[in-house]
Amino acid sequence: MGKRYFGTDGIRGQVGKFPITPDFMLKLGWAAGKVFAREGYSKILIGKDTRISGYMFESALEAGLSAAGVDVLLTGPMPTPAIAYLTRTFQANAGIVISASHNPFGDNGIKFFSAEGTKLPDEIEHAIEAQMDLVMTTVDSGMLGKASRIADAAGRYIEFCKATVPLGFNLQGLKIVLDCANGATYHVSPQVLRELGANVIEIASSPDGLNINESCGATSPQRLQKSVVAEAADLGIALDGDGDRVIMVDENGEVVDGDEILFIVTQHMKARGVLSGGVVGTLMSNFGLEQSLKKIGVPFVRANVGDRYVMEKLAEHDWVLGGESSGHVVCRHLTSTGDGTISALQALRAMRETGKSLAELKSGMQKMPQVMINVRMAKKVDVKSVAAIQDAVKSVEAELGSSGRVLLRPSGTEPLVRVMLEGENPEVIQTLCEELAQVVEKTLEALVSEE
């Protein structure tokens, strides 16, 4: 059974348009409260990023939860992974994050975490949606939920991040430019690095409710690249608006993406003899990551795009490292979800313990050139079931051999098929990608005209 509200990463949309409205959030808080209160006493933790609309939705959720008889713990602005951690430590029944991650301030959304700090199972999301269909009621006044603030939420999370590196580990002598995307990490991540001894230069760490992710952060690292070079810094770190993504910049101003960070952390853990199992990437992970891991004897599997699917595959194999090129890097042996600050610390640990720069560490992975062409569809078609398209794919795969790969991936939000090729020779894959895209386009047009 499909879901009406929950997507792969919670509920997200434009503020003021259903379902991202105060009345919906009031009902959602009540429905979630009713579901979790079925087991008896319940408390739920709420955090948010720095969007101006977060205050409005925080109040609505709090009211709904209280009406359901659920106690509420409020953290104020905190990174998404911090809410996962605090939900566990306060033994709450669930955690709620009000955030639209890397989206602009005009969007917002809701993510839920289970008591274990993981994404909610499907059956709980279905139960909440079913509860939404019922008439909202309020418990007796004496049973209303109470709300309180966690005064030391930031300090608790800072200590948790620092505890993911060994006792005595320090960053003294390192100059780091840190881009907080004017988001939820602005008051915690700089402190983590400073308390470990780094010289931290902050950019995009003055949120005003409207500037989150605006030409900054993990999705726009250009300002960070310029700052690293201008400051003659050792490296740069860019987080996204809710702090679960990280992109780094080496001392030369070159971007180090999620695939490269994942490789650096994996290689270092392998060298220390503490790597358990293999690595999970996604369908979009660079072929160079797969090849580089193979060279050092580390198994690699691909999940569907989305950190939820990476987590599922990690749990299935009982592995600890996974991630996406966009900067979602999961260190499952340290925390229950993707955490930009903790992932950056693991790359910094590799730097300190090997004595190598970030540029030297990332040079161990050779990224493959990648070409992607979007082919628009007049109607949704399962390209895997079209023989002419699959024959063309097989022909290109035969030409590439073991030195590249082909991916046809329908967009989840637009009527598009993404035709992607990776290989050693950029000119060759450009030509092959254009030829394959033409076959896909003409075949889809023919299918529509036949109807």
Side-chain angles (χ1 to χ4, degrees):
M1 185 173 65
K3 298 172 193 169
R4 287 173 294 160
Y5 308 124
F6 286 96
T8 57
D9 199 25
I11 304 168
R12 190 181 298 184
Q14 189 174 342
V15 174
K17 292 187 177 180
F18 185 84
I20 312 301
T21 59
D23 54 333
F24 179 87
M25 295 302 172
L26 175 70
K27 189 74 177 287
L28 178 65
W30 172 81
K34 282 293 186 184
V35 169
F36 285 105
R38 288 172 187 168
E39 303 300 321
Y41 170 73
S42 181
K43 63 180 174 183
I44 291 179
L45 193 143
I46 301 178
K48 61 186 178 183
D49 64 23
T50 56
R51 293 158 215 273
I52 193 169
S53 59
Y55 295 91
M56 175 172 66
F57 295 133
E58 179 185 57
S59 298
L61 287 164
E62 179 188 339
L65 288 164
S66 177
V70 173
D71 286 348
V72 180
L73 299 174
L74 301 167
T75 71
M78 286 294 287
T80 290
I83 303 307
Y85 163 68
L86 292 168
T87 298
R88 297 197 307 272
T89 61
F90 277 91
Q91 298 184 335
N93 298 75
I96 299 176
V97 180
I98 306 166
S99 175
S101 190
H102 58 278
N103 289 25
F105 84 94
D107 292 345
N108 217 330
I110 301 294
K111 297 180 188 178
F112 281 86
F113 285 109
S114 71
E116 292 76 36
T118 58
K119 299 289 173 69
L120 284 187
D122 288 338
E123 58 265 27
I124 299 295
E125 291 183 344
H126 281 301
I128 292 172
E129 291 196 350
Q131 190 73 32
M132 293 283 289
D133 292 332
L134 304 181
V135 175
M136 183 174 170
T137 57
T138 303
V139 297
D140 292 340
S141 294
M143 301 294 292
L144 288 170
K146 300 177 180 67
S148 58
R149 290 207 168 267
I150 303 174
D152 59 347
R156 284 172 177 262
Y157 177 64
I158 289 167
E159 290 305 312
F160 171 63
C161 290
K162 287 160 55 182
T164 65
V165 291
L167 191 65
F169 174 85
N170 73 79
L171 300 172
Q172 290 171 11
L174 279 185
K175 182 189 279 191
I176 300 174
V177 182
L178 177 62
D179 180 346
C180 295
N182 291 313
T185 62
Y186 78 98
H187 59 317
V188 288
S189 298
Q191 199 68 12
V192 170
L193 297 176
R194 285 197 177 101
E195 289 186 17
L196 289 171
N199 174 9
V200 181
I201 299 165
E202 298 178 39
I203 61 175
S205 62
S206 301
D208 61 10
L210 309 176
N211 59 3
I212 187 171
N213 300 313
E214 185 179 10
S215 302
C216 58
T219 53
S220 301
Q222 296 84 359
R223 181 181 170 191
L224 178 63
Q225 290 176 272
K226 291 176 182 175
S227 295
V228 168
V229 173
E231 297 284 351
D234 294 288
L235 69 142
I237 298 170
L239 304 163
D240 70 338
D242 73 331
D244 62 356
R245 284 191 195 194
V246 61
I247 294 293
M248 300 179 78
V249 170
D250 68 21
E251 66 273 23
N252 303 313
E254 297 294 323
V255 167
V256 181
D257 68 12
D259 287 343
E260 291 166 315
I261 294 169
L262 186 54
F263 175 77
I264 289 168
V265 176
T266 302
Q267 185 178 46
H268 187 53
M269 287 183 66
K270 170 82 171 175
R272 286 162 41 221
V274 296
L275 180 64
S276 174
V279 170
V280 175
T282 73
L283 296 174
M284 299 302 290
S285 296
N286 192 277
F287 190 57
L289 173 62
E290 183 175 349
Q291 296 287 80
S292 299
L293 291 175
K294 186 177 180 181
K295 286 179 183 175
I296 62 173
V298 175
F300 177 79
V301 297
R302 294 179 186 270
N304 288 329
V305 175
D307 60 332
R308 182 188 190 115
Y309 301 113
V310 172
M311 290 297 296
E312 287 175 359
K313 194 70 78 171
L314 284 171
E316 177 187 326
H317 289 273
D318 197 23
W319 292 351
V320 298
L321 291 178
E324 301 183 277
S325 53
S326 60
H328 283 123
V329 178
V330 179
C331 301
R332 190 165 158 261
H333 58 305
L334 300 172
T335 188
S336 61
T337 190
D339 188 313
T341 303
I342 287 175
S343 298
L345 285 177
Q346 307 320 302
L348 288 168
R349 179 179 180 180
M351 285 179 63
R352 295 305 258 181
E353 294 183 353
T354 62
K356 295 181 179 179
S357 70
L358 194 56
E360 289 173 314
L361 287 174
K362 82 164 187 177
S363 69
M365 174 188 151
Q366 297 301 314
K367 289 178 72 173
M368 287 280 189
Q370 185 183 90
V371 176
M372 185 162 67
I373 298 174
N374 292 326
V375 177
R376 190 160 291 276
M377 295 188 287
K379 58 172 285 188
K380 194 169 184 178
V381 176
D382 180 9
V383 292
K384 291 182 180 178
S385 65
V386 181
I389 292 175
Q390 291 307 306
D391 288 344
V393 169
K394 289 175 184 175
S395 175
V396 174
E397 287 177 335
E399 190 160 346
L400 289 172
S402 61
S403 64
R405 71 181 184 113
V406 181
L407 176 66
L408 264 62
R409 178 174 168 261
S411 167
T413 56
E414 300 176 87
L416 301 172
V417 177
R418 305 194 193 284
V419 181
M420 189 190 81
L421 264 71
E422 290 177 319
E424 295 174 346
N425 189 313
E427 289 80 15
V428 170
I429 62 168
Q430 180 70 46
T431 300
L432 290 174
C433 192
E434 290 173 359
E435 292 173 354
L436 181 56
Q438 286 179 359
V439 172
V440 172
E441 185 174 19
K442 289 178 181 177
T443 304
L444 292 177
E445 288 174 353
L447 285 173
V448 172
S449 63
E450 287 172 6
E451 295 180 354

